[in-house]
Amino acid sequence: MNDMSPRPRSIKDWESDQEVRWCPGCGDYAILKAVQRTMVDLGSDPATTVFVSGIGCSSRFPYYMASYGFHTIHGRAPAIATGIKLANPELDIWLVTGDGDGMSIGGNHTMHLLRRNLNCQIMLFNNEIYGLTKGQYSPTSRVGTPSPSTPLGSVDQPALPCAFALGSGARFIARGFDVSKELPAVLEAAHAHQGAAFVEIFQNCIVYNKDRFEDFAVAKGAEARQLWLRQGKPMLFDKGTRGIALDMAKLALKVVEVYDGDWQAAGVLVHDVANRSVAHMLVEMPFGAFPMALGVIYDDPRPTYETQTLTQDEAARAGKSPDLARLLAGRRTWTPPRTKERPADL
Amino acid sequence: MSESGIERNTIAPNSSPILSVPEAVVVRFAGDSGDGMQLTGSQFTLSTALTGNDLATFPDFPAEIRAPQGTLFGVSAFQINFGSIEVTTAGDAPDVLVAMNPAALKTNVQALKPGGLIIADAGEFSRRNLDKAKYTTNPLEDGSLAKWTLLAFDISALTLEAVKSFSLGNKEALRCKNMWTLGLALWMFERDRQPLIDWLNGKFQKNPLLAHANIAALNAGHAYGETAEIGGQVRKLNLDPAPSAPGLYRTVNGAEAVSLGLVAGAQLAGLKMFFGGYPITPASAILHHLANLKEYGVTTFQAEDEIAAICSAIGASYAGQLGVTSSSGPGIALKGEAMGLAVMTELPLVIVNSQRGGPSTGLPTKTEQSDLYQAVYGRNGDAPLPVIAARSPTDAFACAIEACRIATRFMTPVILLTDGYIANAAEPWRIPDPADFEPFPVDFLTEANGEDDRVLPYKRDGQGVRPWITPGTAGLMHRIGGIEKAPDTGDLDYSPAVHQLQTDARKAKIDGVAHAIPAQDIDLGQEGGRLAVVGWGSTYGPIHQAVRRARAAGLDVSHIHVRHIWPLPANLGALLKGYEAVLVPEMNTGQFKTLLRDQYLVEAQSLTKISGQPFAIAEIEAAIASVFDGKRDDTGGTDVTADATQPSSIEAIHP
């Protein structure tokens, strides 16, 4: 890798020369800024950074970053990223996908990338709708979503991206939303994680699914509806007056009142990012009765796919030479006899 | 046939001695899919190769891994044609059939030459097995095999006797049956047993008892031939070595040859290779071979599906390795959209299709050539890409190198077509010297190629080829994708003029490949004349032999075999127009014929066969003869199927 070029110091340096083509007011603009901010904060090198996307509104993302970018085909970005990473593990790969691209047509690839633990960041922009195809309901749309393909409202249960990711074996799960000030910090944590880091980013589609996340994303009163998880800190929200505790009888989470700041007395849980069981409960907390769990929900690294694969390949190569002539000759050879006698070189 | 039933050795009366003065002999081993017939066949093949005979093989096995024992659909067969002359097919009709049970006899005996030898394991012809094979009476006893020479004895019992001293379980002991049979075959053809004994010792290194038992069975089968009991009735045969160019030889099947060719191609390009695959019959063997070649700079990846397999290969090509994927028809269909992405982004990629019988799941273990349309036309949009077809297992090596060369030189996906027959069949291979191949090293772009240090990822060279720029290169950051793009910059642009321009440019680039490939040669015969038999792919062997025989009989017929299916060699049209008639035998309903007619307006006619079996030489000979007899309308009106017992496809629809 070439380290001679100076690292970009400003968001501007991460902007490509392409005109951004999202709808005015789209949540994607805020995410783009947050990602560019993250790149600056990380001191990333555009020459070794690759944004890989599938198809959909979110997947136009790579065109707007001044790094390398590959806008692929619907749902297949994880598979293409796998080939890129195995061919050159030094590249820093960011996947950009959406709820349709990553959870529907590409759900299989998302699952296997997470299971294998390819070292990359997966940003799934969840707007609960198909935007680029003009507003059909998506696999994350809530029951009853009216759309051109479901004029009477959708009837099927939505998929929960973070629960899907955990079920697929992901070792890093985080959540954020488009206009959140915390998003760069969440993305930096994802980048710090060695392995597949899955980040669900709630994104406002102002044309087809406007303000779908207002109930928790709107700034006013957010503290009562957002639970920002921080490693080693109690799971408190609503200015510390309420918290998340474990209902021992039901083995489920519950909201408890905290009096005089004594969260220990209230039994509020301390967030341990390595606790997979609690992570499962946090991503499934129904919003309304509970706040929306945000931030780094789960972070427990294990060896990455490319490291294990390439280590194994290296071990297989050790002490062997790539001698083509020897390979072509194979193991059992002969020279054609001129007589009925057996060849001598057996 | 004796009325009193099977004697220990039964020879049909009035049987003529088999194999009179043969130049070549065809032997078919047939048994239950658990009987080890493929192993028997491949070891017999090796023994044949070591004697210097030329040979070709045809493994024919069921789709089921362990079909219910004794059933007709569970029969596994291995045919080998070997001789003192050039052998290019696995042979039309066997001279010898080894039938390990009634089902194997029933499904294979009709192919046997009249007077041919049947060696049957009488011990397996129980009432139960006869029922499973749907025999009402025992064919070994009822005279129905009279036109052949029958040698029936209880191989099962003889094997158990031979391995008695090893105290194996009954089931394990019976597993040695195939070695007993192989021993007998080695005796018949005067082969040395030592290479087989060495192989068994190696194979059962961890279980010497099994090695010894199998060797004992092999020796017992051989000794059985030596005894007077059958020695006087079946002639031993020792075929002279076939004339061949001096050099070092080995056997190779198509899957191995493709794998070796890909490794060689990547080395000649100076690249590491990335292979993304998903298990599918009969293509998986390539993944298996390559997975063992890490020291050659190969990374293999078993993807979650066919789409991920090709997409990972595209990703690797994007990152600067030679991306390769492989599958068979159904998997290739799934890869179609991704092939379009490789066409659109103009990245090198090799796609190997080991064709099998289709459509849908079709005939997974049988051979066919019915994916030609799919290869040439089967993508959305105008998405041209080069297509190459291998004619034989050994030819697949050179074709794989050619695919790598074109893919990297022209920044394009290339499809390499083989088929189930080529993938599985083995033949002797004169081991090439790597130094004989011209390297084609790849140049990656390392500096800006536009004015004012601009990066122009879609700036084309004189041949219309864009530069290969890998992520990680400082200063050359750019974005690519499947959306239509402006020339030079690659910026999103789907304006009407740009799409016209870029579609034309992509087409012109692939058309230009025709000038970077060899001119079409004539395999047998001369330029111009009465009839050209034009083939592609694995029909090479039978066409070659049929044309050779027809020419020996004085017919004015030539054989042209096309490797470059798309684009076609630049001289092919003019060449074909020099013949009064053009006959295209192929294992589909006439796909290459249609392509030739479309490209050149020649009145090509089809000889088609879609039975999952390769052409017999005789079928092509008969079609050639019918052209000369005037029985065939050579104005392009009538296509016929190869199997004379079937009506032609057109007649079948419009009787």
Side-chain angles (χ1 to χ4, degrees):
Chain A
M1 294 298 119
N2 192 320
D3 273 327
M4 297 194 298
S5 53
R7 296 296 157 86
R9 302 251 178 113
S10 75
I11 285 180
K12 266 254 170 294
D13 295 330
W14 280 94
E15 291 173 357
S16 76
D17 58 356
Q18 302 296 295
E19 188 189 343
V20 183
R21 298 194 188 192
W22 289 309
C23 308
C26 174
D28 287 347
Y29 284 95
I31 302 174
L32 178 62
K33 277 280 175 281
V35 172
Q36 289 165 338
R37 160 59 46 204
T38 305
M39 295 295 134
V40 173
D41 292 349
L42 288 171
S44 292
D45 180 358
T48 57
T49 302
V50 189
F51 281 83
V52 185
S53 65
I55 291 292
C57 292
S58 60
S59 290
R60 294 292 183 98
F61 200 95
Y63 289 113
Y64 310 133
M65 296 295 293
S67 63
Y68 283 92
F70 198 166
H71 179 218
T72 72
I73 44 178
H74 208 6
R76 317 305 171 197
I80 290 189
T82 303
I84 297 173
K85 192 72 181 178
L86 285 172
N88 185 355
E90 292 179 58
L91 296 173
D92 186 15
I93 297 178
W94 295 77
L95 275 170
V96 189
T97 184
D99 41 313
D101 190 62
M103 293 295 294
S104 197
I105 192 167
N108 190 35
H109 307 304
T110 306
M111 172 172 91
H112 289 281
L113 179 135
L114 294 169
R115 168 181 76 76
R116 291 192 184 103
N117 199 31
L118 192 84
N119 191 10
C120 65
Q121 297 72 243
I122 305 133
M123 298 185 290
L124 187 141
F125 297 6
N126 184 6
N127 58 13
E128 298 189 3
I129 207 78
Y130 281 87
L132 204 57
T133 51
K134 302 195 190 303
Q136 300 84 357
Y137 86 117
S138 90
T140 55
S141 294
R142 294 166 211 186
V143 174
T145 300
S147 82
S149 58
T150 50
L152 306 179
S154 60
V155 298
D156 36 337
Q157 285 296 323
L160 289 169
C162 286
F164 171 85
L166 267 176
S168 301
R171 310 298 295 188
F172 181 98
I173 306 284
R175 264 197 199 133
F177 57 92
D178 45 15
V179 295
S180 167
K181 293 270 185 295
E182 302 262 3
L183 188 53
V186 170
L187 294 174
E188 280 168 41
H191 188 263
H193 174 88
Q194 294 299 300
F198 183 86
V199 185
E200 179 185 21
I201 304 171
F202 297 108
Q203 176 249 323
N204 187 16
C205 174
I206 57 120
V207 174
Y208 295 109
N209 212 12
K210 194 169 186 297
D211 299 339
R212 176 56 64 186
F213 308 108
E214 282 302 271
D215 42 10
F216 67 83
V218 73
K220 193 167 180 240
E223 59 277 4
R225 293 185 288 270
Q226 297 175 5
L227 171 69
W228 281 96
L229 295 158
R230 295 174 214 284
Q231 170 63 7
K233 298 284 195 276
M235 296 183 191
L236 293 169
F237 65 105
D238 210 359
K239 295 176 180 164
T241 60
R242 288 192 286 165
I244 303 295
L246 189 63
D247 183 331
M248 294 303 283
K250 293 181 179 167
L251 275 182
L253 297 180
K254 62 180 179 185
V255 172
V256 291
E257 302 289 331
V258 177
Y259 301 103
D260 304 327
D262 191 354
W263 54 269
Q264 278 142 316
V268 171
L269 292 170
V270 172
H271 186 46
D272 171 10
V273 289
N275 190 325
R276 194 171 181 84
S277 305
V278 174
H280 272 288
M281 292 193 270
L282 286 168
V283 299
E284 298 221 354
M285 285 192 315
F287 180 75
F290 289 87
M292 178 60 72
L294 296 162
V296 179
I297 297 166
Y298 179 63
D299 183 359
D300 187 14
R302 67 177 164 90
T304 68
Y305 180 68
E306 74 278 6
T307 305
Q308 294 181 93
T309 301
L310 299 175
T311 304
Q312 196 182 53
D313 287 5
E314 279 311 314
R317 279 168 196 148
K320 294 181 188 166
S321 78
D323 179 359
L324 195 56
R326 188 174 51 83
L327 172 67
L328 299 185
R331 267 171 285 190
R332 304 180 82 166
T333 59
W334 72 92
T335 50
R338 294 276 144 223
T339 66
K340 288 179 188 177
E341 287 162 26
R342 251 173 35 79
D345 63 331
L346 275 174
Chain B
M1 179 64 46
S2 162
E3 293 286 308
S4 59
I6 319 167
E7 292 161 22
R8 192 133 186 267
N9 307 306
T10 314
I11 300 294
N14 74 356
S15 65
S16 54
I18 57 152
L19 320 169
S20 52
V21 202
E23 286 182 310
V25 177
V26 179
V27 179
R28 188 183 292 186
F29 298 93
D32 203 63
S33 55
D35 280 343
M37 290 296 100
Q38 300 305 321
L39 196 77
T40 308
S42 59
Q43 289 308 310
F44 187 75
T45 299
L46 191 71
S47 145
T48 303
L50 294 177
T51 64
N53 293 142
D54 198 8
L55 66 91
T57 70
F58 178 44
D60 188 14
F61 45 86
E64 293 77 15
I65 299 300
R66 287 276 185 276
Q69 228 176 357
T71 55
L72 292 167
F73 60 87
V75 173
S76 174
F78 186 101
Q79 183 163 313
I80 174 168
N81 184 8
F82 57 97
S84 55
I85 52 159
E86 184 193 15
V87 170
T88 61
T89 79
D92 287 9
D95 298 287
V96 178
L97 169 65
V98 177
M100 302 302 285
N101 69 6
L105 180 69
K106 185 153 198 179
T107 50
N108 288 284
V109 75
Q110 292 309 325
L112 191 63
K113 274 182 196 160
L117 173 67
I118 301 167
I119 298 173
D121 181 3
E124 286 291 318
F125 282 66
S126 62
R127 189 64 256 163
R128 191 156 165 266
N129 282 347
L130 289 167
D131 286 345
K132 282 187 192 168
K134 309 213 175 354
Y135 275 121
T136 48
T137 59
N138 188 342
L140 303 183
E141 300 170 4
D142 65 9
S144 60
L145 304 177
K147 67 172 168 168
W148 296 289
T149 306
L150 176 65
L151 193 55
F153 41 82
D154 194 338
I155 295 176
S156 303
L158 289 163
T159 303
L160 290 177
E161 179 68 23
V163 303
K164 200 169 57 181
S165 63
F166 299 98
S167 311
L168 302 175
N170 194 54
K171 206 170 167 184
E172 266 188 322
L174 280 174
R175 283 231 179 108
C176 299
K177 259 196 319 190
N178 61 339
M179 286 301 122
W180 194 99
T181 313
L182 186 58
L184 182 67
L186 295 184
W187 168 79
M188 272 185 77
F189 297 101
E190 298 199 332
R191 300 283 172 68
D192 187 1
R193 275 166 287 159
Q194 195 56 45
L196 272 301
I197 291 170
D198 294 346
W199 174 77
L200 284 167
N201 277 324
K203 182 177 166 67
F204 294 111
Q205 207 166 13
K206 289 181 184 153
N207 195 340
L209 186 71
L210 279 184
H212 296 147
N214 274 288
I215 291 165
L218 182 82
N219 287 336
H222 192 269
Y224 192 84
E226 289 283 349
T227 63
E229 291 170 292
I230 62 170
Q233 288 149 330
V234 173
R235 269 192 323 132
K236 293 211 286 182
L237 284 168
N238 190 335
L239 278 63
D240 286 340
S244 51
L248 192 62
Y249 283 73
R250 62 175 285 189
T251 59
V252 73
N253 65 35
E256 283 171 322
V258 166
S259 307
L260 297 174
L262 290 169
V263 170
Q267 283 205 358
L268 291 167
L271 298 173
K272 289 184 170 181
M273 190 214 298
F274 177 94
F275 183 92
Y278 182 78
I280 184 171
T281 303
S284 304
I286 298 174
L287 171 61
H288 304 165
H289 284 301
L290 290 173
N292 284 306
L293 300 180
K294 309 286 192 206
E295 67 265 37
Y296 295 92
V298 178
T299 299
T300 54
F301 172 61
Q302 182 180 317
E304 58 270 24
D305 61 24
E306 295 283 3
I307 298 169
I310 185 171
C311 284
S312 63
I314 290 171
S317 280
Y318 171 65
Q321 296 196 353
L322 178 59
V324 181
T325 188
S326 129
S327 190
S328 188
I332 296 292
L334 285 165
K335 296 180 196 288
E337 187 196 9
M339 280 185 222
L341 178 69
V343 168
M344 193 64 156
T345 51
E346 302 184 55
L347 285 167
L349 180 70
V350 176
I351 303 139
V352 184
N353 180 356
S354 304
Q355 299 167 94
R356 66 190 214 187
S360 186
T361 306
L363 293 78
T365 59
K366 309 296 178 190
T367 194
E368 210 164 89
Q369 296 180 299
S370 46
D371 296 346
L372 185 141
Y373 286 162
Q374 184 193 40
V376 177
Y377 305 120
R379 290 163 294 283
N380 65 302
D382 278 300
L385 56 76
V387 179
I388 301 173
R391 63 169 61 168
S392 66
T394 55
D395 187 49
F397 175 75
C399 286
I401 292 176
E402 180 75 335
C404 297
R405 183 183 71 85
I406 294 174
T408 51
R409 173 64 193 88
F410 289 89
M411 293 292 283
T412 179
V414 175
I415 292 181
L416 169 58
L417 294 174
T418 71
D419 59 32
Y421 173 72
I422 290 177
N424 293 317
E427 60 182 7
W429 185 35
R430 186 164 170 264
I431 299 163
D433 182 349
D436 292 344
F437 292 90
E438 186 76 28
F440 40 89
V442 162
D443 285 323
F444 294 107
L445 193 72
T446 53
E447 289 176 354
N449 56 346
E451 283 175 19
D452 303 329
D453 279 345
R454 285 205 68 184
V455 187
L456 301 176
Y458 285 86
K459 183 180 176 183
R460 299 180 186 279
D461 69 9
Q463 256 106 39
V465 182
R466 83 171 185 98
W468 193 352
I469 312 172
T470 60
T473 312
L476 301 188
M477 288 77 75
H478 66 282
R479 278 62 57 189
I480 64 170
I483 298 191
E484 191 58 282
K485 63 185 82 68
D488 297 342
T489 62
D491 291 345
L492 287 197
D493 190 340
Y494 32 84
S495 60
V498 159
H499 183 50
Q500 179 76 52
L501 188 144
Q502 291 286 53
T503 302
D504 292 346
R506 286 186 290 266
K507 180 178 187 300
K509 180 179 84 168
I510 301 306
D511 288 347
V513 173
H515 304 293
I517 58 175
Q520 182 61 51
D521 59 0
I522 299 162
D523 200 78
L524 271 181
Q526 68 286 309
E527 213 172 310
R530 178 78 181 86
L531 174 67
V533 183
V534 181
W536 67 280
S538 73
T539 53
Y540 176 80
I543 294 176
H544 184 80
Q545 293 303 335
V547 170
R548 188 176 66 87
R549 289 182 195 173
R551 290 182 61 80
L555 299 181
D556 175 13
V557 50
S558 300
H559 175 201
I560 293 169
H561 215 76
V562 182
R563 171 187 280 183
H564 290 274
I565 304 296
W566 197 267
L568 292 161
N571 66 325
L572 182 63
L575 186 62
L576 295 185
K577 284 177 180 163
Y579 299 92
E580 289 172 42
V582 172
L583 177 69
V584 185
E586 51 189 331
M587 297 185 286
N588 60 47
T589 57
Q591 298 185 9
F592 192 50
K593 171 218 64 176
T594 304
L595 186 117
L596 291 176
R597 286 189 186 191
D598 169 61
Q599 292 297 305
Y600 303 126
L601 293 176
V602 290
E603 290 177 345
Q605 354 163 23
S606 265
L607 175 68
T608 67
K609 181 171 185 176
I610 317 99
S611 62
Q613 302 292 321
F615 274 106
I617 300 165
E619 290 165 339
I620 296 169
E621 268 188 293
I624 293 170
S626 72
V627 171
F628 284 88
D629 293 348
K631 286 177 188 166
R632 174 180 282 262
D633 170 9
D634 58 5
T635 58
T638 311
D639 297 331
V640 295
T641 55
D643 186 344
T645 62
Q646 298 293 319
S648 82
S649 51
I650 288 176
E651 285 161 4
I653 298 165
H654 306 290

